[in-house]
Amino acid sequence: MAPRHVLRCCQRSLSWIPVIFINLVVGWSYYAYVVELCILTIPNNAEKISYLVVFHLFFIMFIWSYWKTICSRPANPSKEFCLPNVEKEQYEKEEHPDTQQEILKKVVVGLPVYTRTGTGAVRYCDRCLVIKPDRCHHCSTCDMCVLKMDHHCPWVNNCVGFSNYKFFVLFLAYSMLYCAFIAATVLQYFIKFWTIVTFLISALIVCLPLILCLKLCRWRSVGDCPQNQLPDTHAKFHVLFLFFVAAMFFISILSLFSYHLWLVGKNRTTIEAFRAPVFRNGPDKNGFSLGFSRNMAEVFGDQKKYWMFPIYTSNGDGNSFVTRLVNLDPEQIAVGLQINGKSSVDCPASPKHVLGDTVNHIEDHQDGSFDKTDVAETVTVTIESES
């Protein structure tokens, strides 16, 4: 038992190496830009002040969203998704998978769970001992079930899911703007430094050392060194590497940020993009898509004034999600009626699952019509049989 515990501690310690690396790079970039470029290199005070103001704005938002992504604990399924004690004992004693599924199906009737495994079974985590809510997956690195899990990111040493997905997207956005601003403002000084470097390299390539020596001697003697060069200090190397690092990170982050913007617009996670969620009527890659504006609100919230700030504004609780069904599922209607108290059968669901949440899971389609005059009071459901 002790070796496994030690191994786990070592694994957790090593998992912080990417985070430390990112913070070291960011710390060096701050020093190189503020001290070496703005304070020691740029002669114009107006340009220096304007660069520092905008730089610190992007820097603060970048660090804020980055550490919010790191420090936000992944959201776990609520207690209502745990098996009751009686069903739990029956499930553990039962050895046949089919009988175990029957036990799970009885429990899941009162829960807002509409997705299944690829074989149509109820999604159950044998490690966390919970019925998995929609879009919930078990992270082997964090060793827990994470609501609306997107992926486990080593650069933040955390699972990206329902609790911090907005922070992660903002982290990508501000890190991209941070790198873009550095690369754009450093470019002119990078070119000034690169001029003398390319001159020296080209002279060596064409084997003209004599001309090079004469030219350098003339500069030193006459004092007419070109004005487009940086001061002869170590700031040159900081500027050179700062531009390359910023440009490299900008290109890599741009592709990742664009991909996650596409996911937000489609209301998908990275897992769902590679493997479509399976509903009772089959897989549907657009099962959770509600239109671009509502998809954006799912992640960033309804109040747009808070979208750009790394504060929690996402809609919902992560345990249930509105779905867009391609085909009507009568079982979902039955569950909704039971939850609302319209059925004479007792329902073990939690009282907080009102029909308003369930009605949103059902859309009109060719085989049935759904007329909703007052969600809280009256629901009329008509199902036409196929002729």
Side-chain angles (χ1 to χ4, degrees), residues 29-40:
S29 68
Y30 183 89
Y31 166 79
Y33 192 90
V34 174
V35 178
E36 296 293 344
L37 179 66
C38 292
I39 297 179
L40 300 180

Side-chain angles (χ1 to χ4, degrees), residues 68-70 72 158-169:
K68 284 287 287 186
T69 308
I70 295 176
S72 297
N158 199 0
C159 244
V160 178
F162 177 79
S163 62
N164 61 353
Y165 188 64
K166 176 190 175 182
F167 307 147
F168 178 75
V169 175

Side-chain angles (χ1 to χ4, degrees), residues 140-155:
S140 58
T141 305
C142 297
D143 195 23
M144 66 176 67
C145 284
V146 180
L147 296 179
K148 195 187 177 183
M149 178 178 173
D150 188 89
H151 68 287
H152 184 91
C153 181
W155 300 109

Side-chain angles (χ1 to χ4, degrees), residues 54-99:
V54 179
F55 172 82
H56 279 90
L57 177 63
F58 287 141
F59 178 79
I60 292 173
M61 299 303 293
F62 163 50
I63 294 297
W64 186 8
S65 57
Y66 179 57
W67 280 99
K68 284 287 287 186
T69 308
I70 295 176
C71 298
S72 297
R73 176 177 171 81
N76 308 122
S78 58
K79 294 181 179 179
E80 61 185 324
F81 290 91
C82 299
L83 292 179
N85 293 331
V86 177
E87 285 78 3
K88 184 178 179 181
E89 292 179 1
Q90 293 177 355
Y91 182 87
E92 292 176 349
K93 293 178 180 179
E94 188 58 50
E95 297 180 355
H96 300 285
D98 294 338
T99 308

Side-chain angles (χ1 to χ4, degrees), residues 33-336:
Y33 192 90
V34 174
V35 178
E36 296 293 344
L37 179 66
C38 292
I39 297 179
L40 300 180
T41 302
I42 299 178
N44 189 293
N45 289 331
E47 181 184 8
K48 182 185 303 184
I49 294 174
S50 61
Y51 281 4
L52 287 174
V53 170
V54 179
F55 172 82
H56 279 90
L57 177 63
F58 287 141
F59 178 79
I60 292 173
M61 299 303 293
F62 163 50
I63 294 297
W64 186 8
S65 57
Y66 179 57
W67 280 99
K68 284 287 287 186
T69 308
I70 295 176
C71 298
S72 297
R73 176 177 171 81
N76 308 122
S78 58
K79 294 181 179 179
E80 61 185 324
F81 290 91
C82 299
L83 292 179
N85 293 331
V86 177
E87 285 78 3
K88 184 178 179 181
E89 292 179 1
Q90 293 177 355
Y91 182 87
E92 292 176 349
K93 293 178 180 179
E94 188 58 50
E95 297 180 355
H96 300 285
D98 294 338
T99 308
Q100 289 179 334
Q101 277 298 310
E102 292 299 326
I103 298 174
L104 294 178
K105 287 180 180 179
K106 292 179 181 178
V107 178
V108 83
V109 168
L111 297 175
V113 177
Y114 306 110
T115 56
R116 296 290 186 264
T117 64
T119 58
V122 177
R123 300 170 64 244
Y124 182 77
C125 180
D126 292 311
R127 192 169 183 85
C128 298
L129 303 178
V130 295
I131 296 174
K132 294 181 181 178
D134 294 341
R135 318 183 82 175
C136 175
H137 298 275
H138 185 88
C139 176
S140 58
T141 305
C142 297
D143 195 23
M144 66 176 67
C145 284
V146 180
L147 296 179
K148 195 187 177 183
M149 178 178 173
D150 188 89
H151 68 287
H152 184 91
C153 181
W155 300 109
V156 299
N157 190 29
N158 199 0
C159 244
V160 178
F162 177 79
S163 62
N164 61 353
Y165 188 64
K166 176 190 175 182
F167 307 147
F168 178 75
V169 175
L170 290 179
F171 154 62
L172 294 179
Y174 287 120
S175 61
M176 184 184 65
L177 293 175
Y178 178 77
C179 294
F181 178 77
I182 291 178
T185 53
V186 169
L187 179 60
Q188 58 173 320
Y189 299 97
F190 169 80
I191 294 175
K192 291 177 181 180
F193 167 63
W194 194 252
T195 301
I196 186 62
V197 174
T198 54
F199 172 75
L200 294 173
I201 294 177
S202 61
L204 291 175
I205 292 177
V206 297
C207 300
L208 295 176
L210 181 60
I211 297 177
L212 174 61
C213 292
L214 292 175
K215 189 67 175 178
L216 292 176
C217 291
R218 180 174 177 272
W219 285 349
R220 292 176 180 176
S221 60
V222 181
D224 60 347
C225 184
Q227 296 299 316
N228 64 338
Q229 296 181 36
L230 292 176
D232 190 13
T233 64
H234 58 279
K236 291 182 177 181
F237 300 99
H238 285 286
V239 171
L240 173 64
F241 289 109
L242 187 62
F243 176 80
F244 275 123
V245 171
M248 178 186 65
F249 274 96
F250 171 77
I251 294 174
S252 60
I253 295 174
L254 176 62
S255 59
L256 185 60
F257 176 68
S258 302
Y259 175 68
H260 277 279
L261 272 187
W262 178 80
L263 290 178
V264 172
K266 297 289 186 179
N267 202 352
R268 300 178 193 171
T269 63
T270 301
I271 296 176
E272 293 166 355
F274 287 94
R275 184 173 65 250
V278 180
F279 297 87
R280 293 189 180 100
N281 294 346
D284 183 7
K285 63 180 181 180
N286 296 317
F288 296 103
S289 181
L290 307 172
F292 181 78
S293 59
R294 292 188 64 185
N295 292 343
M296 293 289 291
E298 285 283 313
V299 176
F300 294 99
D302 296 322
Q303 298 183 346
K304 294 184 179 180
K305 60 182 179 180
Y306 297 123
W307 281 16
M308 305 308 296
F309 297 96
I311 56 178
Y312 182 82
T313 56
S314 301
N315 290 338
D317 60 357
N319 290 288
S320 61
F321 295 91
V322 181
T323 61
R324 181 190 63 84
L325 298 181
V326 177
N327 297 312
L328 188 62
D329 187 356
E331 186 177 348
Q332 291 191 11
I333 300 177
V335 172

